[in-house]
Amino acid sequence: MESADAATGPASFLSAFYTSYWWIPAAVLATALAIKVPTIIRLWKDPLLRAVGGLLLLACAVFVFVAPSTIVWVNRVTGVPNISAPWVYSLLTAFCGACLVLIIAWRDGLSEGSAPTRRATRWVVSVYGGVIVALWVLFALADVPVERTRDLDTYYANTPFMREEILLYLLAHTTAVLITSRLIWNWIRTGGFDAWLRRGLRFLGVGYALNLAFDAAKLTAVVARWTGNDLDWLSLDVAPALACLSAVSIAVGFILPHAGQYLRERRRIRLAHRELRPLYRLMRSVHGSGVPFVLRASPELRLTHRETFIRDVLLPLARRTDERLGARSYRAALGLGYAPERAKALAAAVVVLDAVDARPGTDDGGWGGSGSGEDSGGELDTTDLLNGIGAVSRALGHPEVLREVRARALAPGDTMAVTE
């Protein structure tokens, strides 16, 4: 009977879920990898993305092969009791190497061709590759005939060669995680990051800190066996739970920046599309119809169609815009206390409404009644008008302000004296 029976309280609660909860972090890590894969393929020459992909793939493999059902399957297929142990230890050691390679790529950016980067990468690959070879050699020398799917680390803690193997993989893992964790927390304190990237780094920092707690629990349980004590519950129940939480936190750390940037971009597109609604409705009244509805059009395509439609209809209106009315409206808006950029948008909205009312088939003077008449000073420079359709559309959403600006612009007196 395995020593899991000694666990009580929260440890026994965790033990009840041992056989199934390995698949939760495996699924989360697989999701993170699936999100990253398109970018990794598109930017394959980026060493940072390759390192992230390798790290996520190895982390996912660790949780797949550490599940008790998978351990039993591997042992049965190979016919070697406990051969899953060096296999899982090797995957975990490769994960450690991937962590350090990620740090090197993150530190050096795209300078993968530099001599220091190549030397550091070769050093990591050599050291952790050597550790993996040593794990298999030690396993071949050890005598481990009794299959253990859960408590192998503590059950064989005093077995020659297996004892050294267990200690070797734990020390290799602790070293890599300690370096990675320290550097991540240093980056978090430096500042200058995008908000979503900073949140992702925090989750990564928590994930690697939990990895250190995992190592501490495992080492404590193993050392306790060396001294004749029994703290197996740390290895059996606490360490696996910490590993799962760590994996989920690391996966979220990689997902969050992408998800956050995606959501932020979607929100920006929705707001831009909604912001153009007043100007779009005005241009639709001029054109007589709007943009055809496309059921499967993406938000980006809908925004592009709306912007294109507005500019296509707005461009001919430039022939009927009153440049002098625009100048007077700009000075009037400044006189009302608006900032220059806001005043510019209000003036553009005034002349656009004036041009719409002055189009053939409408009465001159339109929405204010006085019109520009013989004050017409030629076409308004359309470059700023077409580039600033968002600001003009926002201005159209405040008709009372536009009426006030237009009335002040057309009023006799000292309006022209207002300085820009």
Side-chain angles (χ1 to χ4, degrees):
M1 187 174 185
E2 298 185 5
S3 56
D5 295 336
T8 58
S12 62
F13 174 79
L14 293 172
S15 181
F17 293 94
Y18 186 93
T19 58
S20 59
Y21 65 22
W22 295 107
W23 301 106
I24 298 173
V28 176
L29 288 164
T31 301
L33 181 61
I35 292 173
K36 284 283 188 180
V37 161
T39 305
I40 294 171
I41 294 174
R42 189 172 64 253
L43 303 174
W44 179 250
K45 293 184 179 180
D46 188 334
L48 177 58
L49 287 173
R50 292 203 304 269
V52 169
L55 185 146
L56 289 173
L57 180 61
L58 288 167
C60 186
V62 167
F63 282 97
V64 169
F65 283 98
V66 81
S69 58
T70 312
I71 290 174
V72 171
W73 179 82
V74 171
N75 292 339
R76 296 292 181 273
V77 168
T78 59
V80 180
N82 298 311
I83 199 172
S84 283
W87 174 241
V88 172
Y89 295 163
S90 296
L91 288 174
L92 193 58
T93 302
F95 168 80
C96 297
C99 289
L100 292 177
V101 170
L102 174 62
I103 292 302
I104 294 169
W106 209 334
R107 180 194 65 191
D108 296 341
L110 296 176
S111 58
E112 61 175 339
S114 67
T117 300
R118 289 199 304 269
R119 282 197 301 270
T121 302
R122 282 198 300 266
W123 182 87
V124 170
V125 172
S126 299
V127 170
Y128 280 85
V131 170
I132 292 173
V133 171
L135 290 172
W136 285 96
V137 171
L138 289 169
F139 179 77
L141 295 173
D143 182 21
V144 286
V146 181
E147 183 180 68
R148 312 301 295 185
T149 60
R150 291 193 53 193
D151 65 343
L152 185 140
D153 289 348
T154 51
Y155 186 85
Y156 288 111
N158 290 310
T159 301
F161 299 111
M162 198 63 191
R163 172 183 56 223
E164 288 76 12
E165 175 166 359
I166 294 167
L167 183 62
L168 180 60
Y169 98 82
L170 286 174
L171 290 179
H173 185 261
T174 302
T175 301
V177 170
L178 186 62
I179 295 172
T180 307
S181 179
R182 181 176 179 180
L183 191 51
I184 285 176
W185 286 110
N186 286 340
W187 282 335
I188 290 173
R189 288 192 291 267
T190 58
F193 292 113
D194 171 84
W196 286 104
L197 178 57
R198 179 177 291 278
R199 294 186 187 108
L201 283 173
R202 287 199 180 103
F203 273 97
L204 287 176
V206 170
Y208 283 107
L210 289 169
N211 256 323
L212 288 174
F214 163 86
D215 291 325
K218 282 281 187 181
L219 283 168
T220 301
V222 170
V223 171
R225 278 286 186 141
W226 294 349
T227 59
N229 297 302
D230 186 352
L231 293 177
D232 289 9
W233 60 274
L234 287 172
S235 177
L236 287 169
D237 302 305
V238 175
L242 289 170
C244 290
L245 291 174
S246 170
V248 172
S249 184
I250 289 173
V252 171
F254 285 116
I255 293 173
L256 197 59
H258 280 271
Q261 291 165 8
Y262 173 84
L263 292 174
R264 182 173 57 193
E265 182 64 15
R266 283 293 176 271
R267 181 175 180 273
R268 184 195 67 79
I269 291 172
R270 285 198 304 270
L271 290 176
H273 191 268
R274 187 183 309 158
E275 181 182 74
L276 290 174
R277 187 180 299 164
L279 185 55
Y280 171 70
R281 286 176 174 172
L282 182 64
M283 295 300 99
R284 191 170 59 183
S285 71
V286 173
H287 186 269
S289 63
V291 176
F293 177 74
V294 180
L295 181 61
R296 295 190 177 184
S298 65
E300 295 92 337
L301 186 59
R302 287 188 180 125
L303 176 61
T304 300
H305 284 168
R306 178 166 285 192
E307 289 174 338
T308 302
F309 175 81
I310 289 172
R311 291 190 175 101
D312 287 346
V313 179
L314 191 57
L315 186 59
L317 286 177
R319 302 187 186 96
R320 295 191 293 274
T321 54
D322 186 342
E323 194 174 62
R324 284 178 290 187
L325 175 61
R328 290 197 302 271
S329 299
Y330 176 72
R331 288 191 287 266
L334 290 177
L336 290 170
Y338 292 102
E341 285 301 316
R342 175 68 170 159
K344 187 177 180 180
L346 291 170
V350 168
V351 297
V352 166
L353 284 170
D354 188 76
V356 169
D357 281 345
R359 72 187 189 277
T362 62
D363 293 330
D364 289 343
W367 61 294
S370 60
S372 57
E374 60 187 36
D375 278 332
S376 179
E379 296 181 9
L380 185 70
D381 181 6
T382 57
T383 302
D384 289 341
L385 182 62
L386 296 177
N387 289 335
I389 57 175
V392 175
S393 187
R394 287 194 301 271
L396 288 172
H398 302 277
E400 69 287 349
V401 175
L402 295 179
R403 282 193 292 268
E404 185 179 11
V405 170
R406 189 173 191 268
R408 187 179 178 98
L410 296 178
D414 60 353
T415 302
M416 295 296 289
V418 178
T419 57
E420 297 186 22

